[in-house]
Amino acid sequence: MNVRSSSQLEHDRGRWDMGQAGTREERAAETRAALLDAAAVEFAGYGYAGASVDRIARRADRSTGSLYHHYPGGKKELAELIVRGQPGAVQVQGPAVGLQHLIDITLAWACQMVDNPVLLAGARLVGEQGDFIKGSDDFNSHAQWTEVVMASLLAARRRRELRAGVDMQGTARLLVNACTGAQLQASMESGPARVDLPGRVVEAWECLLPALAVPRVVKNLDLDVDRVRTGSAPLPVHPAAGGAAGSGAQGGGSAAI
């Protein structure tokens, strides 16, 4: 008979416990992601006031108790996570830097607004954030996106792509406002699919670039929407921000890029 020593049994028990812990952590992560995805779809369709915790749980195929276990703040916490995670929800193809990277961010955002539930939810929630974000005067999606734009403009300045005297803060705000307005207008004129949004963003860049970038840079920048639809593995726009993937939802509102 092969008798295992007590130390061997303890070792095996420890390995089993670690395996169980890993499985529990994986299941918890899957549940949190499923709930966040479901919340994004719910908010995109109903906004904050109309969203139902019970429907979110059912969409995720989880119990309401499970939702409150992982998100004790309920829909308030879920809504805040989604709004704060907007930049991380946009995926950009390729390793472009400076102005080209900024162009790619805006075009990827415009294309992904069609069916990305986190971005669609943001379109509904951005105007309602005072209902669920404490101290919302100190945070808003427009300001968050302005910081993302500023990061690329600073990189562009270091690369000497910008004209002398460019007001980068003003330019960042202008671009965010232009994209936000383009999204709203596209939603009004072409419906929830916003099929003409990428073209509207390209048009905004065509007007802005001559005043923003030096001529040698302007002629080499690529405004082809297809470059953000194909290519290498997607890169996060804002590594510090989180986002959730999911499938289709419809929403109106004014999404800040």
Side-chain angles (χ1 to χ4, degrees):
M1 179 181 296
N2 183 18
V3 179
R4 300 178 65 81
S5 69
S6 61
S7 62
Q8 288 174 316
L9 291 173
E10 287 299 322
H11 175 70
D12 290 347
R13 185 178 296 112
R15 290 180 61 186
W16 184 86
D17 289 342
M18 288 177 63
Q20 289 296 103
T23 301
R24 287 195 298 271
E25 290 172 0
E26 290 169 3
R27 286 200 300 265
E30 289 173 0
T31 295
R32 287 193 296 270
L35 288 166
L36 200 59
D37 283 352
V41 176
E42 178 76 5
F43 290 133
Y46 295 94
Y48 181 75
S52 161
V53 168
D54 289 340
R55 279 200 304 265
I56 292 171
R58 287 199 300 271
R59 285 180 188 276
D61 197 23
R62 302 297 195 277
S63 69
T64 304
S66 176
L67 185 151
Y68 281 110
H69 172 74
H70 291 284
Y71 298 103
K75 73 174 186 178
K76 178 177 182 294
E77 182 178 355
L78 286 162
E80 181 171 353
L81 286 170
I82 288 170
V83 169
R84 292 185 183 274
Q86 291 288 291
V90 179
Q91 299 295 311
V92 178
Q93 305 286 348
V97 294
L99 284 177
Q100 186 64 67
H101 181 58
L102 182 53
I103 289 169
D104 291 352
I105 290 172
T106 59
L107 294 181
W109 166 82
C111 293
Q112 293 164 27
M113 272 296 297
V114 173
D115 58 7
N116 184 315
V118 175
L119 296 177
L120 289 166
R124 292 293 296 267
L125 292 173
V126 67
E128 306 172 24
Q129 65 184 24
D131 295 335
F132 55 85
I133 294 183
K134 184 178 180 180
S136 60
D137 290 343
D138 299 324
F139 171 85
N140 63 70
S141 189
H142 289 76
Q144 185 182 34
W145 274 111
T146 299
E147 291 179 6
V148 172
V149 174
M150 273 297 298
S152 287
L153 288 177
L154 286 168
R157 187 174 67 178
R158 289 193 296 269
R159 292 167 55 84
R160 299 183 179 180
E161 295 179 343
L162 303 182
R163 287 183 176 273
V166 166
D167 177 355
M168 292 196 299
Q169 282 284 355
T171 299
R173 289 192 296 270
L174 174 63
L175 181 60
V176 172
N177 291 339
C179 289
T180 301
Q183 186 280 140
L184 180 58
Q185 197 68 26
S187 179
M188 291 170 58
E189 294 190 2
S190 60
R194 301 171 176 84
V195 293
D196 61 345
L197 180 55
R200 291 174 184 271
V201 174
V202 169
E203 186 176 65
W205 276 116
E206 288 173 340
C207 294
L208 180 60
L209 281 173
L212 177 63
V214 297
R216 64 173 175 79
V217 171
V218 173
K219 68 180 182 180
N220 291 319
L221 291 171
D222 190 348
L223 296 176
D224 185 356
V225 174
D226 287 339
R227 77 185 308 276
V228 301
R229 289 180 172 145
T230 60
S232 58
L235 304 172
V237 166
H238 197 304
S247 59
Q250 293 183 356
S254 176
I257 180 176

